[in-house]
Amino acid sequence: GLSTRAGQGCGSSMADLVCGSECSEPSWAFVGTQIQLSFALWVFFLCGGMFLVFIGTTKDMNPARTRFQLLKGKMQHSLPYNVMHGSLGAIQCSLFLIRTYSKSMTLIEFIFEAVVVMLCLVDMIVLWIRAFLSGLRSGLGFMLSRASIDCLMFVSVLSLVLIEIDGAKSWITFTFLGAIRLRRVWTDVLDIQKVNLQVLDWQIADMVVTVAVVVFVSAMSVMTLENLGDPEILREYNEGTWNTISSMYFIIATISTVGYGDLTPATGLGRICAIVALLGGISTLLLAWRNVLRVVTLNSSGGGTYSPPLRCKFVIVAGNPSPQSAKDLITELFHPDHADDADDLQAVFLLPRSNDGAVAASIQDFLEQRANLHLATKVFLLQGNVLDLADLTRSAVLQASAFFLLPDVSCLDPAREDTENIIRMMAVLRLVPTMRMILVLLKAENGKLSEAGIRVGDNVTVLAADQLKLELVGKTCQVPGFSTLICNLCKTIQHADEEIGTSPLWQQEYDRGMGNELYEVELNATYASRQALFSEVVVDVLEHTEGSVYLIGLIEIRPDGTKRVLVNPGPRYPVKKPDTGTKTNGIFVAADREAVVQCDAGGVFLGRRERPYGSSQKENDSVVDTGVIRARQVAASSDDIDRLIAVDLSDEEQARARELVKLARDHKKAVKPERPPLKLLARGGHIVVACVSGESKEAPLFGLGLEHFMRPLRQSTDDERHSPVVVVALEPPRDWHSTVGLEQTYFLKGNPLSSFDLQRANVGDAASVFVCRVVSQKVAEAWMADAAVICCTRLIEAQVENVGFTNIIPELTFEANFAFVPMPQLADAWAKSSSPLQDAEAANPRMSTKTKQFWDTDKPFTRGSLQESFRSSAKLMGSKSAANLGEEQFIQDIPAEARKSFLRTLTSEYFRQPRYAGGQLFVGTVITALAANTFYNPSLSELVFTMISAPVTMVGVPKEWVGKSYFEFFDHLLWEEELLAIGIFRQGDLLSLVDMDPMQQKASRRMSYVYTTPPAKATSMKLLDRVIVFGVDPSVVREKQKTEGTTVHAKRLGRTGSMNALRSLRSLRSVNSSR
């Protein structure tokens, strides 16, 4: 009979809990009870999982899902945890193997196996919760795989003390299935150790482990079933030679081409049937496998369907993004600073199938990294065509919150790339006209195509990568460090507070400023009710936040929805009242949105104070650049054009004819650009644009977009202060005609990679040199896309005697290449480092494997290690090259803490490099960061371009202000000079942790860096500081002219911040008429 009991009596000994050496033979009665109890436990977990799914549809379970995803990732990527589970599983399988011979079960064995299955059950519960929180499909898949095995193992071990058959217990369990867990642990360990399975030895080892697990589990299963015999239900059907089970066994063995030979048909008809079954079965099996593989391939390549959860918003990313752009977008969208907005956000990538899944595989690898495991549940990968309605339906486009279209920044044909993305945008807007579109173009000239055939409204944001790059760099040539300031405000960066105190002073200050971002926050109605001026609101916010938050501008939203962005509208610009129908938002620079504190109703207004109005009040004088680009006059006069056109033409036709004649002459000048005069080159102080391209036959294809570079350089109305611009390239850009009307713009035919041609351009005496890549080429590896720019930069630095006075700005497409263009001072120091890998690991113990590969001299990085790159660059540095350093032990003499901080600087991200901090490096990935943050702040893109086009200059610190607080100098500039300070361009030492005295500064490695919106009251002004300031917004000046009828003169904003004499009214009127 069958009897089951819950345990032993109190008087029973512990040894009686198990059968010991008196175990009964395995029987179906015992095993059947084990299976029934296991199924009951499995059903219990299934019902619990269904309840979790139901709760997930009614409540927000994203935080819980993320926590369990992180817990799963920690367990999966913990080496000690996996080694422990693997060791226990191996011992458990060994004990089962021993029991098959001893037919016994000791108490120690039972306790050990009970502990192992309890640990497995805890592990299973964590994965069970995570699976069902991810959805019903994920939960059912888990229950049919991992949960089935764990339930069977857990119940079979506990049944050794709970179940008795005919008064006896048995030794049989299903713990041999633990070998399956061994295979899973083996895979996790290989993943943790970053083992390359493409290596033959590891591939063989992986195959041996897999085969061993399959053989062991199969052998133990067959042995168990054969020893148990047939159950009662099958015994009577298996008595004859040919029965249902044996016939099915014969057909499967025949179709699978195994053919054991123990059964063979004896009749003719049976043999004919066997032949038909063999041929038909094999063909059917092959077709079935083909269909299965096709479905598996389709799903693994992004052919699935995205089902958005309830109460969850998501964005779709399409186009043809590069792996780096996709990673940057994910990082920006789900940055911790956006935690409140991105808590219920998901991202769906609809990638084209033409890239063979390389981008999808790269994103998947990125999500599987330990630091990014929390993003795995928020990012979904699909592949398809945006023009295909079925693919758009699979991505749930009708429910999307926004649609991103990103280009391939390394494509060979930018025009084609932009055209394809514009067509994709039109297809989406035709289906969903109100969709929020964020389109990134490579060339600004292609932006006009986006308006053709479809109306672009406020829901469409178009960003041009070349326009942002060229305008930023052009502005940086006038205001050093400006590009770094703007890029850091566009990019979300989380500062590591634990490094404060161990980094050099320049790094500490730069990091504090780097953590600030732009935020658009509605101004409190208190300001308008108190008739507050802009400057009073600025000071009030500074006072309420202890000098940590800055108000730099206003965004006025009119009743019709149009926006007016004003950066520094002037200290006496009044905040508009809400009853006028205009809503006013403030543009704040702060560490996070919560840091913005304004004056509440009934609070103390700290911005208003008594000020000496009168002589300091500039009613008619505004220290502002008018922002008007003066075009030079055409060589031929209007009378000359009139002689060329027919006299019998109508007025309208004559106007068209004049325009055609002007275009023809501009084209003629564009074909033969003007060469720079030798006197101009010899004088120096010019700006060189080195256009690095491919072979000569490809050079005419590129368009430079120089008008964007020239726009910030020609904003001033003072022609005498316009810096000449010399473009060095193999051939003139095809869009050179756009620069015909710009003063002092020259073209010099030559190869920027030739030392001779660089000497012809006199780069040694240039004020700034911008090295840009204008023609993309097919490269074997992504990092090689910047090889020509790196070589050109090193060649220029070798020709510049004092790199501290020449602003050399290389453009990098692949951000990791920053290591190949270090500051020359770092190259000198690095040339003497004898053990870079050990020093770098000591400075940064958490360094990634890829970074170690950069530093390891035994593992060259493609064409040479990073150390060799630094050594070779140091040899190009002239007087301070490695060859001339002799026995100088520069690195060894650095204090230990300074040495670690120096090495940490070299191994950190590009945006923490000295070169980038000083505005001497531009990385193209900033456009992706701007696109991502535009999703959270729709006005951000317009604000950034307004800041770039705004009048900006640098103001030196007079001696009487040295030692005073930044807040005092900020207040002085705002009220007395009508200038809004945004940051400090400060000098610092690369290595020191403490300030040096003047005698030590001569021997130190000095560099400049941007200190963005420093703490106003805690920062003291230094003698060599230069403050970056915004002048009054030109639109406010023009508006004041119209309303008051006063003469507003523009003062030129020089590099040193000194103000020129006021201009005459006639000059201003001529500027306005030329505009």
Side-chain angles (χ1 to χ4, degrees):
L2 174 64
S3 63
T4 304
R5 58 183 180 139
Q8 300 291 335
C10 296
S12 302
S13 63
M14 292 294 295
D16 293 337
L17 288 176
V18 293
C19 59
S21 58
E22 300 177 354
C23 298
S24 64
E25 289 294 327
S27 64
W28 276 108
F30 188 84
V31 174
T33 305
Q34 289 179 325
I35 295 175
Q36 292 175 13
L37 294 176
S38 301
F39 182 73
L41 181 63
W42 186 88
V43 171
F44 171 78
F45 277 110
L46 178 62
C47 295
M50 299 291 287
F51 180 72
L52 287 178
V53 173
F54 173 76
I55 291 184
T57 59
T58 56
K59 296 182 179 180
D60 182 16
M61 301 297 291
N62 284 326
R65 184 187 302 112
T66 302
R67 285 195 294 269
F68 278 97
Q69 175 68 22
L70 289 174
L71 184 59
K72 171 185 177 286
K74 289 180 180 179
M75 294 189 303
Q76 186 176 352
H77 292 85
S78 173
L79 184 61
Y81 182 83
N82 281 279
V83 170
M84 179 193 71
H85 264 274
S87 302
L88 294 178
I91 297 175
Q92 191 178 41
C93 292
S94 301
L95 291 177
F96 179 85
L97 194 62
I98 294 173
R99 285 203 304 273
T100 59
Y101 291 97
S102 64
K103 311 293 184 181
S104 62
M105 166 64 73
T106 64
L107 181 61
I108 296 178
E109 291 179 359
F110 169 75
I111 294 175
F112 175 82
E113 295 216 22
V115 171
V116 173
V117 295
M118 288 295 293
L119 291 176
C120 292
L121 184 65
V122 172
D123 186 59
M124 188 204 80
I125 291 175
V126 173
L127 299 180
W128 166 73
I129 297 175
R130 180 257 170 191
F132 276 99
L133 287 179
S134 299
L136 180 60
R137 183 180 301 178
S138 175
L140 291 178
F142 175 79
M143 293 301 299
L144 294 175
S145 55
R146 172 75 181 268
S148 301
I149 296 175
D150 286 346
C151 289
L152 196 59
M153 291 174 56
F154 177 75
V155 171
S156 65
V157 171
L158 294 185
S159 64
L160 296 178
V161 299
L162 297 177
I163 302 175
E164 289 184 0
I165 303 298
D166 296 331
K169 301 177 182 179
S170 182
W171 59 269
I172 191 69
T173 63
F174 290 95
T175 53
F176 63 86
L177 296 177
I180 300 176
R181 188 172 67 255
L182 281 178
R183 177 68 181 86
R184 186 166 52 248
V185 169
W186 166 261
T187 303
D188 291 342
V189 170
L190 293 182
D191 197 25
I192 294 172
Q193 297 299 109
K194 306 296 183 183
V195 173
N196 184 10
L197 290 179
Q198 302 301 320
V199 178
L200 181 60
D201 293 344
W202 283 110
Q203 186 66 40
I204 293 175
D206 184 64
M207 182 189 66
V208 169
V209 172
T210 303
V211 172
V213 168
V214 172
V215 169
F216 177 79
V217 174
S218 301
M220 295 301 100
S221 300
V222 171
M223 180 204 69
T224 301
L225 294 175
E226 288 297 320
N227 288 334
L228 289 173
D230 287 328
E232 293 293 337
I233 193 173
L234 294 178
R235 189 170 299 167
E236 58 180 304
Y237 294 104
N238 202 28
E239 294 179 353
T241 303
W242 287 98
N243 51 57
T244 303
I245 297 177
S246 62
S247 300
M248 293 177 63
Y249 161 76
F250 167 74
I251 292 297
I252 292 175
T254 303
I255 292 177
S256 62
T257 68
V258 176
Y260 294 106
D262 52 344
L263 289 176
T264 55
T267 64
L269 293 177
R271 291 174 179 175
I272 293 175
C273 182
I275 294 174
V276 174
L278 177 63
L279 298 176
I282 291 178
S283 60
T284 303
L285 188 63
L286 292 177
L287 289 175
W289 272 112
R290 175 178 175 273
N291 294 332
V292 170
L293 291 176
R294 184 165 58 182
V295 172
V296 171
T297 304
L298 179 64
N299 282 276
S300 62
S301 62
T305 301
Y306 172 71
S307 299
L310 294 177
R311 299 181 182 180
C312 178
K313 59 183 179 181
F314 66 97
V315 298
I316 301 176
V317 184
N320 193 20
S322 62
Q324 186 62 49
S325 298
K327 297 173 187 177
D328 290 339
L329 184 70
I330 295 173
T331 304
E332 286 291 335
L333 285 176
F334 300 103
H335 195 275
D337 285 358
H338 300 311
D340 294 337
D341 297 323
D343 184 50
D344 57 345
L345 180 68
Q346 294 182 351
V348 180
F349 280 80
L350 184 59
L351 304 172
R353 297 189 178 95
S354 57
N355 54 23
D356 299 328
V359 177
S362 179
I363 297 175
Q364 192 64 43
D365 293 341
F366 172 74
L367 296 175
E368 291 176 356
Q369 295 177 9
R370 184 179 303 180
N372 304 322
L373 288 174
H374 64 286
L375 302 176
T377 60
K378 296 178 177 291
V379 180
F380 299 86
L381 303 179
L382 304 176
Q383 286 193 341
N385 187 359
V386 177
L387 303 181
D388 190 344
L389 181 60
D391 290 336
L392 285 178
T393 304
R394 290 193 299 113
S395 61
V397 67
L398 296 177
Q399 305 173 46
S401 301
F403 204 106
F404 288 85
L405 285 170
L406 303 181
D408 181 7
V409 295
S410 60
C411 67
L412 299 179
D413 190 353
R416 178 179 178 181
E417 186 74 14
D418 287 346
T419 303
E420 291 178 353
N421 275 340
I422 291 172
I423 294 176
R424 292 185 179 108
M425 180 189 71
M426 296 170 63
V428 174
L429 291 179
R430 187 174 290 111
L431 181 63
V432 190
T434 59
M435 174 64 70
R436 172 78 191 286
M437 298 292 303
I438 300 177
L439 171 65
V440 179
L441 299 178
L442 295 175
K443 297 292 182 182
E445 62 182 355
N446 298 327
K448 296 180 180 179
L449 298 176
S450 63
E451 302 176 5
I454 192 167
R455 183 178 180 181
V456 177
D458 295 336
N459 61 313
V460 178
T461 301
V462 180
L463 303 174
D466 69 326
Q467 180 181 359
L468 178 66
K469 171 187 68 177
L470 293 170
E471 289 190 1
L472 269 179
V473 176
K475 201 77 167 185
T476 304
C477 292
Q478 278 190 331
V479 184
F482 184 77
S483 63
T484 299
L485 185 147
I486 296 296
C487 291
N488 285 346
L489 291 177
C490 295
K491 187 176 180 65
T492 309
I493 301 172
Q494 195 168 22
H495 174 56
D497 294 331
E498 64 271 11
E499 293 185 2
I500 289 290
T502 62
S503 299
L505 285 179
W506 78 265
Q507 189 82 69
Q508 297 178 31
E509 293 184 339
Y510 171 73
D511 285 352
R512 289 192 187 99
M514 181 178 60
N516 293 324
E517 298 174 53
L518 292 171
Y519 293 97
E520 178 183 349
V521 180
E522 184 177 359
L523 281 187
N524 198 307
T526 304
Y527 296 125
S529 63
R530 298 193 179 188
Q531 299 179 350
L533 302 178
F534 171 75
S535 55
E536 294 176 337
V537 181
V538 172
V539 175
D540 181 75
V541 172
L542 279 173
E543 292 284 3
H544 276 93
T545 59
E546 297 297 327
S548 61
V549 177
Y550 290 76
L551 174 68
I552 65 171
L554 303 174
I555 298 179
E556 297 178 347
I557 305 175
R558 299 183 177 91
D560 58 357
T562 58
K563 294 182 179 180
R564 185 188 184 194
V565 180
L566 301 173
V567 176
N568 185 17
R572 294 163 186 86
Y573 186 85
V575 177
K576 289 184 171 55
K577 296 182 178 180
D579 55 15
T580 61
T582 300
K583 176 184 176 182
T584 304
N585 293 343
I587 304 170
F588 295 90
V589 179
D592 51 64
R593 190 179 296 272
E594 288 70 22
V596 178
V597 180
Q598 305 181 54
C599 180
D600 296 326
V604 180
F605 184 37
L606 303 176
R608 184 161 295 165
R609 61 187 67 176
E610 294 295 330
R611 297 187 181 274
Y613 286 95
S615 60
S616 63
Q617 185 175 2
K618 305 180 186 295
E619 292 293 343
N620 298 326
D621 303 335
S622 178
V623 184
V624 58
D625 201 310
T626 60
V628 179
I629 303 176
R630 295 203 355 166
R632 83 180 158 181
Q633 297 178 349
V634 183
S637 64
S638 177
D639 294 337
D640 186 24
I641 296 179
D642 290 338
R643 289 194 296 269
L644 295 176
I645 61 177
V647 294
D648 57 344
L649 296 178
S650 63
D651 293 342
E652 184 179 354
E653 292 172 340
Q654 287 184 10
R656 290 201 206 102
R658 288 191 182 92
E659 183 66 23
L660 291 174
V661 172
K662 182 180 180 300
L663 291 175
R665 289 182 173 177
D666 288 350
H667 174 70
K668 184 178 180 180
K669 293 178 182 180
V671 173
K672 294 183 178 180
E674 184 179 359
R675 291 171 53 87
L678 294 179
K679 181 179 179 181
L680 180 147
L681 293 177
R683 187 185 302 119
H686 55 291
I687 299 173
V688 176
V689 180
C691 301
V692 179
S693 60
E695 301 175 358
S696 179
K697 62 181 181 180
E698 295 181 349
L701 298 177
F702 80 90
L704 183 58
L706 194 62
E707 69 274 15
H708 304 300
F709 183 82
M710 300 296 295
R711 183 177 293 117
L713 293 174
R714 297 296 182 261
Q715 282 181 332
S716 174
T717 58
D718 187 359
D719 294 338
E720 297 178 358
R721 298 300 300 175
H722 286 171
S723 300
V725 176
V726 179
V727 178
V728 181
L730 292 172
E731 294 291 339
R734 58 177 174 80
D735 58 351
W736 187 262
H737 58 83
S738 62
T739 65
V740 170
L742 299 177
E743 294 285 353
Q744 301 189 63
T745 305
Y746 307 99
F747 175 78
L748 181 63
K749 185 174 182 178
N751 187 358
L753 296 175
S754 169
S755 177
F756 173 75
D757 290 333
L758 291 176
Q759 291 176 0
R760 289 172 53 216
N762 193 18
V763 295
D765 294 326
S768 298
V769 181
F770 176 43
V771 184
C772 60
R773 184 173 65 106
V774 294
V775 176
S776 300
Q777 292 178 305
K778 287 290 185 180
V779 292
E781 299 181 48
W783 74 272
M784 295 177 62
D786 297 320
V789 172
I790 295 171
C791 294
C792 182
T793 303
R794 294 299 180 81
L795 196 59
I796 293 172
E797 290 174 345
Q799 295 191 18
V800 177
E801 293 184 0
N802 194 336
V803 293
F805 291 97
T806 300
N807 199 16
I808 304 174
I809 310 172
E811 175 204 357
L812 297 182
T813 302
F814 190 61
E815 63 182 32
N817 284 335
F818 73 84
F820 294 98
V821 282
M823 295 287 286
Q825 298 93 322
L826 288 180
D828 292 336
W830 182 252
K832 297 297 295 178
S833 180
S834 58
S835 181
L837 179 60
Q838 296 177 5
D839 295 337
E841 286 181 319
N844 187 5
R846 295 178 295 177
M847 187 175 8
S848 64
T849 304
K850 183 177 293 186
T851 305
K852 290 181 181 179
Q853 184 181 8
F854 272 100
W855 287 80
D856 196 349
T857 56
D858 298 329
K859 297 180 180 179
F861 184 69
T862 309
R863 294 191 177 183
S865 66
L866 184 61
Q867 182 196 23
E868 292 301 321
S869 176
F870 278 121
R871 292 184 186 276
S872 62
S873 64
K875 293 178 182 179
L876 296 174
M877 294 302 145
S879 61
K880 290 198 175 186
S881 65
N884 296 330
L885 284 174
E887 299 299 326
E888 179 187 4
Q889 299 296 317
F890 177 70
I891 287 290
Q892 285 73 10
D893 294 338
I894 300 174
E897 288 298 323
R899 178 182 175 88
K900 289 184 178 181
S901 63
F902 163 67
L903 292 168
R904 187 187 299 113
T905 297
L906 293 179
T907 56
S908 60
E909 300 87 348
Y910 78 90
F911 48 80
R912 300 190 75 234
Q913 299 306 304
R915 182 168 208 134
Y916 179 83
Q920 297 190 44
L921 178 65
F922 182 84
V923 180
T925 55
V926 66
I927 190 68
T928 306
L930 178 59
N933 288 305
T934 300
F935 169 71
Y936 296 110
N937 183 4
S939 303
L940 180 62
S941 59
E942 184 180 359
L943 172 60
V944 168
F945 283 103
T946 302
M947 294 175 67
I948 296 174
S949 61
V952 184
T953 190
M954 279 186 169
V955 177
V957 179
K959 291 183 178 180
E960 60 268 21
W961 288 98
V962 175
K964 294 186 177 181
S965 69
Y966 178 78
F967 179 81
E968 295 177 285
F969 193 56
F970 175 91
D971 187 75
H972 164 74
L973 292 175
L974 181 63
W975 282 95
E976 302 297 328
E977 305 294 343
E978 298 187 347
L979 298 173
L980 181 66
I982 188 68
I984 303 176
F985 194 67
R986 173 169 286 181
Q987 286 194 2
D989 186 76
L990 282 171
L991 306 170
S992 67
L993 295 177
V994 295
D995 283 331
M996 293 183 175
D997 56 51
M999 296 299 295
Q1000 292 175 314
Q1001 290 180 3
K1002 295 182 179 179
S1004 65
R1005 265 61 176 176
R1006 304 296 290 176
M1007 49 85 68
S1008 298
Y1009 60 96
V1010 177
Y1011 194 1
T1012 307
T1013 57
K1017 297 185 177 181
T1019 304
S1020 299
M1021 304 306 300
K1022 298 181 180 180
L1023 180 61
L1024 298 180
D1025 285 348
R1026 287 179 289 172
V1027 181
I1028 304 175
V1029 296
F1030 285 110
V1032 181
D1033 193 286
S1035 65
V1036 176
V1037 177
R1038 291 192 294 269
E1039 184 181 82
K1040 189 175 182 180
Q1041 286 180 266
K1042 294 179 181 180
T1043 56
E1044 298 181 3
T1046 59
T1047 304
V1048 179
H1049 300 278
K1051 290 186 176 181
R1052 178 182 55 83
L1053 299 178
R1055 290 186 179 180
T1056 61
S1058 61
M1059 306 303 170
N1060 286 347
L1062 297 177
R1063 300 188 178 280
S1064 64
L1065 177 60
R1066 180 179 302 176
S1067 174
L1068 182 59
R1069 287 177 178 175
S1070 65
V1071 171
N1072 292 334
S1073 62
S1074 66
R1075 177 181 174 93

